[in-house]
Amino acid sequence: MITRSDPMKPRLFYILFLLLPALAQAQETAHVYGKVTGTDQAPIFPANIAIPGTSYGTVTDENGNFELEVPAGEDIVIVFSFIGYRQIRVSRKLSANQRIEINQILEQTSLNLDEVTVMEQYDRTTTITRIDIKTLDMLPNVSGNIESILATLPGVSSQNELSSQYSVRGGNYDENLVYVNDIEIHRPFLIRSSQQEGMSFVNPDLVSSIEFSAGGFESSYGDKMSSVLDINYRRPYEFGGSASLSLLGGSLHLEGASKNRKFTHISGLRYRTTKYLLATLETKGEYNPDFLDFQTLLLYRLNPKWELSFLGNIAFNRFHFVPETRSTDFGTYRNPLNLVIYYEGQEKDKFDAYTGALTLQYRPTDNMTLKLISSAFASDEQENYDILGEYLINELDNRIGSETYGDSILNIGVGAMQDHGRSDLNAFVYTLSHLGTNSSGNNTLKWGAMWRHERIFDRISEWEVIDSTGYFVPYDGEEIILFDATKSKNQLFSNRMNAFIQNTYMIEKDSVRYFLNAGIRGSYWDMNREFFISPRATLSIEPNWKSDVVFRIAAGYYYQPPFYKELRYPDGSLNKSVKAQRSIHFVIGGDLVFSAWDRPFKFTTEIYYKKLDNLIPYKLDNVRIEYAAENIAKGYAVGLDMKIFGEFVPGAASWISFSLMKTEEDIIGDYYFDDEGYTIRPGYYPRPTDQRVMVGIYFRDYFPGNPDYKVHLNLIYGTGLPFSPPGIERYDLIFRMPAYKRVDIGFSKVLKREYSTLKEGNPFRRFKSIWISAEIFNLLDVKNTVSYRWIKTVSSQSGVPGAFAVPNYLTGRRFNLKLTANF
């Protein structure tokens, strides 16, 4: 099936571009540059340099260097700060186009740790949180993905340590935007299980900044309903690199710059295998997961105004699995059961992805930046499996003291099943976009436009047969009926266009500062010929109080047009008339900066409500989302997020997050008949991501008097998620999984600190820094449930109904060693 449409050209895009020259007015500014060091002359990274109450601010690079644009012709106060150091305030008044150098020395106020996490950098006038990349250096991390740190933030749920996917404030995995250097990142389509999932696109070794918003984000970000993760890669100033090696794989990155620094490069190579972790699963067999990727960012400055850069990525992900046996205990204390499966067959998958992006940047003035970005994404995915399983379900002896305690005493089901799959998908996405920024006094104007062409080729052939005691399930007494079957072949070509414009403005009145960010974006998709407009705004107030507090309120429309999976019915056919889902965000929050025990802390809280309509109901199995492919539901999400961040231990920043959330939906006009023939209208029911309570803790400590010995603890608790049986049309029939509980802990020894000098002959003296870590994943060895295997039987010897939900558990406790070096 081929679908084509001619792109419509809405007038909004032309109007926006006609207005841009008039809106982009220049304003006189000046520049301050220099270096921030400690009393030992070692550069401080990333120190904060900002003008309080304005949008002017920056951070130092790894060499302590910075450059800051400031308003000209007025008295300004520049604040230099870094956790564990005394804050310095410098007053200046600069003339237009003046450049001055300020080299600032900061004095320590507490014990200094070389790898200390900087006090959370947070643009307090927006809903964006800035995360320090150094947090990941020693974080005990199963997946190796940068997204793992998000699971400890309020409003974020990630109940699968093998996956980089996450849900935010009741949204699903497909509702999150991810950008790297202004380029939107795409995920694989066919992945069913986190065992198949390789590394996320983002390479932590290359990252310079991480920004994240859980809702109420500005118009410059695209059309998704839940969150945005904005990553920028580093621009090096000299040769350097890093390498790491562990039981789960390794990584290498190199960076450098030409003598005149016109050309810079940074590249990273990663290899990862989860074979060691998957050996703890209850399905035993031969696991061979191999994940490899290479990324590079090349940048060349043509002249002071023009700059050209290229970002490239190649990822090869392979998963080969030959199952042998499985033994799982389940049920209740009063009715303990055991499932045993003997397997034949294998699964072989590949998920390859290629990304390339070319960016041309032009700075006509110091206040204005213009970008033209062209990018291409290609995905080559294949799933091939034929697995036969013969199973027995037995009742276990639960009599304490019995000689047969825990043994099988009664068989209540026996049968066989066969899973078959031959699916492949090829996707191609071509994008051309323009972004512009202009600063003018207290205003920062941003605008942009994008055109995208998508080509998707999809072929699915999946079926499942269940044979229970000689009967096929379902059984009609006459013929073999497949329990589940999907077969389809689709081709889809389409075009998308969008544009946005927004302005950030600051005004001060009666010593109270007001910050307003307001914008609008318009989008059009020629597949369903839908055009929509999304206004968004954020207002922040910084009162002139003794306490350092900021209040925020944000609201906006967030549409999410379907990409591909949302169009596909469970039987594989496409519904081309699906419209964009819509979420209206209302966010009220604030943060308070305070001191306790003579150490800095920040308390942040947000209350939110999201009105959802035009929803496409879906079911979630492991990481696979199966959509209903129709806009037939409405819903809501409401919650409270809180976080306290600071030095619980002097010189080591940690945080605690707590979230309450409820999200439900209602399929409009749905009903069913009960056993007595009465019509039942279900109304609202929990969505698959309805996690009511979430707690995340990231805690850092060190041995007193010897900060080279460190401890890092990562704790996540989340109440159980809803799930429903497969093969039924109802979405309101739900059960709940057990709560997700996980503790990872890491112990590290710094063998050489940056800027320290070792004796001649020491093997570590040529490294900038080097450390070794011992990690214990799933410290408490909790069996966390990720999904269920539904075992069917026609009848049993004791008359037990023929359906059993057998939990699929995640990984158990594992020990890991990791060596990391920077040079």
Side-chain angles (χ1 to χ4, degrees):
M1 174 168 55
I2 301 179
T3 305
R4 297 179 182 266
S5 297
D6 293 329
M8 188 179 76
K9 299 179 179 179
R11 295 181 180 178
L12 173 67
F13 300 106
Y14 295 108
I15 295 173
L16 288 176
F17 279 103
L18 289 173
L19 288 175
L20 291 181
L23 293 170
Q25 298 177 355
Q27 187 254 354
E28 294 182 333
T29 59
H31 284 79
V32 175
Y33 67 96
K35 187 171 185 176
V36 179
T37 61
T39 54
D40 59 355
Q41 299 303 310
I44 297 177
F45 163 76
N48 294 300
I49 303 98
I51 302 176
T54 74
S55 59
Y56 295 100
T58 187
V59 295
T60 57
D61 61 26
E62 287 125 331
N63 300 311
N65 297 317
F66 74 93
E67 182 162 346
L68 175 66
E69 182 183 70
V70 299
E74 59 183 82
D75 294 322
I76 59 172
V77 176
I78 305 173
V79 176
F80 296 81
S81 63
F82 186 70
I83 192 170
Y85 289 79
R86 194 177 309 279
Q87 185 183 94
I88 299 295
R89 302 171 73 90
V90 177
S91 299
R92 289 288 188 275
K93 184 176 182 179
L94 281 67
S95 57
N97 300 320
Q98 183 180 359
R99 285 176 57 86
I100 66 168
E101 181 177 4
I102 300 179
N103 296 315
Q104 189 62 55
I105 298 175
L106 301 184
E107 297 180 357
Q108 296 181 17
T109 59
S110 61
L111 179 64
N112 179 35
L113 304 178
D114 283 345
E115 291 82 17
V116 69
T117 302
V118 68
M119 183 65 177
E120 183 184 50
Q121 296 176 52
Y122 187 86
D123 187 348
R124 302 175 71 188
T125 65
T126 71
T127 61
I128 294 288
T129 299
R130 296 181 182 175
I131 304 169
D132 177 27
I133 183 60
K134 285 194 173 184
T135 304
L136 285 170
D137 284 349
M138 298 181 186
L139 176 74
N141 185 355
V142 169
S143 68
N145 295 322
I146 206 168
E147 290 86 352
S148 60
I149 196 64
L150 300 182
T152 63
L153 300 182
V156 182
S157 173
S158 177
Q159 299 202 160
N160 192 330
E161 63 272 8
L162 295 174
S163 174
S164 64
Q165 307 200 51
Y166 52 92
S167 63
V168 179
R169 292 180 175 176
N172 69 32
Y173 307 145
D174 293 334
E175 297 177 13
N176 304 311
L177 284 163
V178 180
Y179 291 94
V180 173
N181 285 26
D182 299 318
I183 300 154
E184 185 175 349
I185 303 304
H186 302 279
R187 296 179 181 272
F189 296 83
L190 291 183
I191 286 179
R192 295 175 292 109
S193 166
S194 56
Q195 301 173 19
Q196 305 167 306
E197 189 175 337
M199 298 169 287
S200 75
F201 180 94
V202 181
N203 187 333
D205 294 334
L206 314 185
V207 171
S208 66
S209 67
I210 309 172
E211 297 183 336
F212 178 75
S213 175
F217 46 89
E218 58 195 38
S219 299
S220 60
Y221 296 114
D223 298 312
K224 292 289 182 75
M225 294 197 297
S226 289
S227 74
V228 59
L229 177 64
D230 193 0
I231 305 288
N232 277 290
Y233 280 174
R234 188 165 58 252
R235 177 183 298 191
Y237 289 85
E238 61 182 2
F239 175 77
S242 68
S244 68
L245 185 66
S246 77
L247 298 177
L248 303 178
S251 66
L252 172 69
H253 111 266
L254 297 173
E255 60 184 63
S258 61
K259 289 184 179 181
N260 58 10
R261 293 185 178 175
K262 283 190 173 183
F263 174 74
T264 64
H265 67 88
I266 183 168
S267 302
L269 179 69
R270 295 181 293 171
Y271 171 75
R272 194 161 186 84
T273 176
T274 53
K275 183 175 182 178
Y276 176 61
L277 294 171
L278 299 181
T280 65
L281 300 180
E282 296 194 327
T283 299
K284 304 302 179 183
E286 185 179 350
Y287 291 92
N288 288 293
D290 291 296
F291 310 124
L292 176 72
D293 96 328
F294 172 78
Q295 289 189 42
T296 186
L297 175 63
L298 309 176
L299 190 148
Y300 183 72
R301 176 172 288 185
L302 303 170
N303 57 50
K305 294 182 180 294
W306 291 90
E307 190 174 87
L308 185 66
S309 64
F310 172 76
L311 174 65
N313 173 73
I314 301 175
F316 300 109
N317 300 306
R318 301 290 188 272
F319 181 75
H320 183 202
F321 176 41
V322 182
E324 296 174 357
T325 62
R326 169 176 176 167
S327 178
T328 304
D329 294 333
F330 66 105
T332 64
Y333 173 77
R334 293 183 177 273
N335 186 29
L337 303 173
N338 172 260
L339 169 70
V340 177
I341 306 179
Y342 300 94
Y343 290 105
E344 295 179 17
Q346 64 178 332
E347 176 178 355
K348 295 185 72 173
D349 308 323
K350 81 167 186 176
F351 305 95
D352 295 345
Y354 311 86
T355 301
L358 195 64
T359 301
L360 180 64
Q361 178 177 293
Y362 174 55
R363 292 179 61 92
T365 68
D366 290 338
N367 305 317
M368 182 181 292
T369 301
L370 304 174
K371 292 182 179 181
L372 182 65
I373 305 172
S374 62
S375 65
F377 166 78
S379 180
D380 181 10
E381 306 176 28
Q382 294 181 10
E383 268 194 317
N384 300 283
Y385 55 89
D386 268 305
I387 298 177
L388 173 66
E390 298 174 336
Y391 61 85
L392 301 93
I393 301 177
N394 298 318
E395 185 177 335
L396 304 179
D397 185 358
N398 64 346
R399 297 171 297 173
I400 298 177
S402 171
E403 294 182 359
T404 60
Y405 179 77
D407 292 341
S408 300
I409 58 175
L410 178 66
N411 176 258
I412 61 174
V414 62
M417 55 191 175
Q418 183 176 359
D419 293 331
H420 168 91
R422 294 289 187 275
S423 302
D424 57 74
L425 184 145
N426 295 97
F428 304 90
V429 180
Y430 308 99
T431 304
L432 183 65
S433 62
H434 163 66
L435 296 174
T437 303
N438 184 73
S439 298
S440 176
N442 294 330
N443 292 274
T444 299
L445 180 70
K446 292 184 179 180
W447 65 90
M450 184 206 73
W451 168 81
R452 174 178 294 163
H453 178 67
E454 300 162 355
R455 304 169 66 89
I456 298 175
F457 305 85
D458 184 20
R459 181 180 63 87
I460 300 175
S461 177
E462 299 176 353
W463 51 260
E464 181 181 4
V465 171
I466 299 178
D467 176 15
S468 176
T469 322
Y471 294 96
F472 284 92
V473 181
Y475 177 64
D476 68 356
E478 295 182 0
E479 60 180 348
I480 296 176
I481 302 176
L482 297 177
F483 172 70
D484 188 24
T486 302
K487 191 175 183 65
S488 67
K489 186 176 182 180
N490 300 301
Q491 296 182 19
L492 189 69
F493 305 158
S494 67
N495 297 278
R496 302 176 194 265
M497 292 182 289
N498 64 55
F500 76 89
I501 186 168
Q502 71 175 42
N503 188 45
T504 302
Y505 182 74
M506 189 278 289
I507 186 172
E508 183 172 353
K509 185 177 181 181
D510 299 329
S511 299
V512 178
R513 294 186 176 95
Y514 301 88
F515 303 86
L516 176 64
N517 177 290
I520 189 170
R521 65 181 296 117
S523 298
Y524 174 74
W525 189 33
D526 69 357
M527 175 59 61
N528 57 13
R529 298 183 179 274
E530 182 182 24
F531 174 72
F532 52 83
I533 294 178
S534 307
R536 305 172 188 176
T538 301
L539 174 65
S540 300
I541 302 174
E542 184 179 339
N544 186 21
W545 293 354
K546 185 177 180 180
S547 301
D548 186 359
V549 62
V550 172
F551 300 100
R552 288 183 303 276
I553 181 170
Y557 281 69
Y558 297 83
Y559 287 88
Q560 180 164 332
F563 188 30
Y564 177 70
K565 290 191 294 184
E566 298 94 325
L567 302 175
R568 198 167 68 187
Y569 284 108
D571 65 3
S573 61
L574 297 184
N575 179 8
K576 302 182 293 297
S577 62
V578 174
K579 301 297 184 180
Q581 302 177 88
R582 187 178 70 174
S583 176
I584 306 176
H585 292 198
F586 301 94
V587 182
I588 299 176
D591 60 70
L592 170 67
V593 176
F594 64 97
S595 295
W597 309 295
D598 294 324
R599 297 194 292 273
F601 287 87
K602 179 188 288 184
F603 175 71
T604 302
T605 183
E606 286 188 343
I607 300 173
Y608 61 89
Y609 176 81
K610 298 197 290 188
K611 182 180 183 297
L612 312 172
D613 53 24
N614 250 19
L615 291 180
I616 307 171
Y618 64 91
K619 292 184 179 182
L620 181 62
D621 183 19
N622 203 308
V623 297
R624 186 179 193 178
I625 300 176
E626 184 180 88
Y627 289 94
E630 293 182 358
N631 302 101
I632 55 175
K634 61 182 180 179
Y636 69 89
V638 60
L640 167 68
D641 290 339
M642 294 186 291
K643 177 182 177 183
I644 186 167
F645 179 101
E647 295 185 24
F648 294 92
V649 174
S654 307
W655 64 80
I656 302 173
S657 301
F658 176 78
S659 296
L660 295 174
M661 190 270 295
K662 182 179 181 180
T663 181
E664 293 184 320
E665 68 184 13
D666 176 22
I667 296 180
I668 301 171
D670 66 325
Y671 64 91
Y672 65 92
F673 298 102
D674 64 11
D675 295 337
E676 298 180 358
Y678 292 103
T679 301
I680 305 298
R681 301 188 183 278
Y684 282 92
Y685 58 88
R687 305 187 78 202
T689 52
D690 181 45
Q691 186 176 62
R692 299 297 173 88
V693 179
M694 192 282 289
V695 178
I697 298 176
Y698 175 67
F699 184 77
R700 304 183 63 197
D701 201 353
Y702 54 87
F703 285 84
N706 195 340
D708 288 343
Y709 291 88
K710 306 175 188 296
V711 180
H712 300 74
L713 182 139
N714 191 31
L715 181 150
I716 297 176
Y717 170 83
T719 53
L721 293 172
F723 70 97
S724 58
I728 61 172
E729 294 184 359
R730 286 176 55 186
Y731 287 83
D732 63 291
L733 182 60
I734 64 166
F735 308 92
R736 282 201 180 259
M737 298 181 186
Y740 181 87
K741 295 165 283 190
R742 186 176 179 91
V743 178
D744 298 324
I745 192 168
F747 304 89
S748 60
K749 169 66 171 73
V750 179
L751 304 177
K752 181 184 183 296
R753 287 202 254 174
E754 197 167 355
Y755 307 114
S756 64
T757 303
L758 301 180
K759 296 180 180 179
E760 190 72 32
N762 190 304
F764 304 135
R765 68 184 305 268
R766 296 189 180 278
F767 293 98
K768 285 184 179 179
S769 62
I770 185 169
W771 66 89
I772 188 169
S773 302
E775 303 169 324
I776 304 176
F777 302 135
N778 197 357
L779 176 66
L780 304 180
D781 200 24
V782 176
K783 288 186 174 182
N784 288 308
T785 302
V786 66
S787 62
Y788 286 86
R789 176 81 196 195
W790 291 83
I791 302 296
K792 300 283 186 176
T793 60
V794 172
S795 60
S796 66
Q797 297 177 7
S798 57
V800 176
F804 299 90
V806 182
N808 296 317
Y809 296 120
L810 287 164
T811 58
R813 181 165 50 221
R814 269 295 191 246
F815 176 80
N816 185 43
L817 279 176
K818 183 178 179 181
L819 180 66
T820 304
N822 293 317
F823 52 86

